[in-house]
Amino acid sequence: MNRVLSSSFYKHCNRAIHQTIPKHRNETQLQTAGPVASLIKSRSVIRFRGPDTVKFLRGLLTNDIRKIGEPIGDKTANFPTPNVPTTSVTPIYAALLTPQGRFLYDLFLYKPPNSDTKLDTTGTGPASDPNQPFELFADVDASVLDELLATFTKYRLRSKVEIDNVASEFSCWQRYGSGPSDNSSDVEEPEAASVGWGAGEDGAAMSSSSEAPLIEADKETDEQNYLMWRIEKGVAEGSIEIPKGEAMPLEYNLVGLNAISFDKGCYVGQELIARTHHRGVIRKRLVPLRFQDNDGKEVIDKVIPGSEVVNRESGKKAGLVTTALGCRGLGLLRLEEALKGSTALSIQGQEDVKVVASKPDWWPSDWLQDLQQHTAFA
């Protein structure tokens, strides 16, 4: 799965097959479909530009933005005009937190190569141009765009960085499905790569995949298909699915999605995150949910976000549904209740709706080992 910024058409393929995917697709269909490309209207694009860009963002965001300035490497295009590199710097997923360590906004950061990039003297990489301003693009949650821009402007102070809304110039496309993630060669971030957060960016707009993605034709359900795919993977996105000002980033699995660096030094909200990570055990996590009736059949559109999940046998609260679409959802649940195979989880006030939680296959194995060891000790 690759996130793509496009100023025109989806440029990963010169020819696309248009196919509409039904709104309510079962897991098998979604897992085997792909690669698929969807226009993500819920995300907008902003631009950071100026000599202090990396320094400014490094002091705010949870990930190490210095990686975005590392050399691309020795891969260059083998085309009649070999001045454009075939690969660009890997996008970085990061978050901005409150001083108390609560989630505010998430960002996907890109440093696309310019169309007039020249090779260096060795012919193995792009040359640096001291006269060209350094710039980064970020796709962000469109529902909080104005608020996000105001927050970054407040932190800017005297930093030499410009922050602009370029949503009218760029669109966000999401490539996902079985194709890109299965073919991913990312070895540095294997967990994130499995759900698309570690995949490389095709800066030259020439896909290395031999299989052209399917472009969604039905714009009414286009993004819902991507949402359903994320739900099945157990991945939340944006300041609504990850409640702004309330959510603990570790409970929403941002470590497993490589959005947090524990080696970069200080950033806003760093103290609580570091202390919880190194000393604590995460007892609640975001997990994928299925909604079924007592006969095991799927229940569609009967659950809303904010519904409480309870254990009917013990009467204990297990957590909350955070996102719901059709018969699937995401929930922030206590792992002891969610993953012990209990069939007693249901929606409070809707005892006829059974909740089945599952562990995403991209989770690091030590998450559950730490919980089991802590529970045994207690």
Side-chain angles (χ1 to χ4, degrees):
M1 178 176 70
N2 297 87
R3 181 85 69 164
V4 179
L5 293 180
S6 173
S7 57
S8 55
F9 183 66
Y10 181 71
K11 298 180 291 186
H12 265 265
C13 61
N14 297 322
R15 186 175 179 180
I17 302 173
H18 291 259
Q19 175 177 322
T20 302
I21 301 178
K23 176 180 177 181
H24 300 302
R25 265 196 114 157
N26 61 39
E27 182 176 3
T28 302
Q29 289 174 307
L30 272 176
Q31 294 296 338
T32 57
V36 180
S38 293
L39 176 63
I40 308 301
K41 295 181 179 179
S42 64
R43 307 290 290 188
S44 290
V45 184
I46 62 176
R47 179 180 62 202
F48 300 95
R49 181 166 56 181
D52 291 344
T53 296
V54 172
K55 179 181 178 182
F56 169 71
L57 292 175
R58 184 169 181 263
L60 293 177
L61 303 183
T62 56
N63 215 334
D64 193 350
I65 308 303
R66 290 178 300 179
K67 294 185 292 185
I68 208 92
E70 294 177 352
I72 294 175
D74 57 0
K75 296 181 180 180
T76 56
N78 187 22
F79 303 126
T81 55
N83 284 343
V84 180
T86 59
T87 59
S88 66
V89 178
T90 301
I92 291 179
Y93 184 48
L96 177 65
L97 311 180
T98 69
Q100 294 75 32
R102 304 289 177 171
F103 177 90
L104 279 178
Y105 317 109
D106 62 352
L107 305 89
F108 292 85
L109 292 157
Y110 313 81
K111 187 179 182 298
N114 298 316
S115 59
D116 58 350
T117 299
K118 306 297 182 182
L119 298 180
D120 59 19
T121 55
T122 66
T124 60
S128 59
D129 184 357
N131 298 318
Q132 187 164 351
F134 182 87
E135 64 179 10
L136 293 178
F137 290 93
D139 82 61
V140 299
D141 187 345
S143 67
V144 293
L145 177 60
D146 293 338
E147 181 184 318
L148 181 146
L149 289 170
T151 301
F152 276 114
T153 301
K154 178 185 69 175
Y155 279 117
R156 182 176 57 184
L157 300 177
R158 296 182 180 180
S159 299
K160 296 179 180 179
V161 55
E162 300 175 10
I163 308 167
D164 302 309
N165 177 4
V166 292
S168 62
E169 304 173 36
F170 292 88
S171 299
C172 295
W173 286 83
Q174 183 69 58
R175 182 173 177 170
Y176 60 101
S178 60
S181 59
D182 290 348
N183 296 332
S184 174
S185 59
D186 194 303
V187 295
E188 184 178 345
E189 300 178 335
E191 295 87 0
S194 69
V195 292
W197 265 248
E201 178 72 10
D202 190 346
M206 301 295 291
S207 175
S208 60
S209 173
S210 60
E211 184 179 6
L214 306 176
I215 305 298
E216 306 244 46
D218 187 345
K219 299 306 178 186
E220 296 300 320
T221 62
D222 185 26
E223 190 166 347
Q224 286 186 332
N225 297 320
Y226 169 55
L227 172 57
M228 180 63 79
W229 195 85
R230 278 199 294 104
I231 286 175
E232 292 186 351
K233 292 291 186 179
V235 177
E237 185 175 292
S239 301
I240 296 178
E241 293 181 34
I242 310 176
K244 179 169 61 70
E246 302 176 8
M248 282 287 295
L250 303 188
E251 293 181 343
Y252 282 76
N253 306 327
L254 264 65
V255 173
L257 295 172
N258 298 302
I260 299 176
S261 170
F262 294 99
D263 302 319
K264 66 180 289 289
C266 295
Y267 56 87
V268 176
Q270 179 261 349
E271 182 179 355
L272 176 64
I273 300 300
R275 184 171 66 247
T276 304
H277 176 72
H278 292 296
R279 297 182 181 179
V281 173
I282 311 302
R283 295 183 176 86
K284 292 190 298 181
R285 287 193 182 274
L286 192 76
V287 296
L289 305 177
R290 293 175 181 265
F291 307 125
Q292 301 176 346
D293 61 20
N294 292 325
D295 296 327
K297 297 180 180 179
E298 294 178 341
V299 174
I300 296 176
D301 294 337
K302 290 190 65 176
V303 179
I304 62 174
S307 300
E308 286 192 351
V309 179
V310 297
N311 188 314
R312 289 176 296 181
E313 295 177 351
S314 65
K316 294 181 179 180
K317 294 181 179 180
L320 291 173
V321 176
T322 62
T323 305
L325 180 63
C327 61
R328 304 299 297 267
L330 295 172
L332 185 65
L333 303 186
R334 292 171 48 231
L335 293 180
E336 288 181 87
E337 297 287 345
L339 302 180
K340 65 182 181 181
S342 173
T343 59
L345 296 182
S346 65
I347 300 297
Q348 187 171 27
Q350 296 175 272
E351 284 71 19
D352 58 330
V353 179
K354 186 168 64 174
V355 178
V356 179
S358 58
K359 181 185 76 69
D361 56 11
W362 58 269
W363 276 20
S365 59
D366 58 356
W367 282 2
L368 296 183
Q369 291 175 356
D370 292 342
L371 179 68
Q372 291 168 354
Q373 292 173 359
H374 186 272
T375 303
F377 177 78

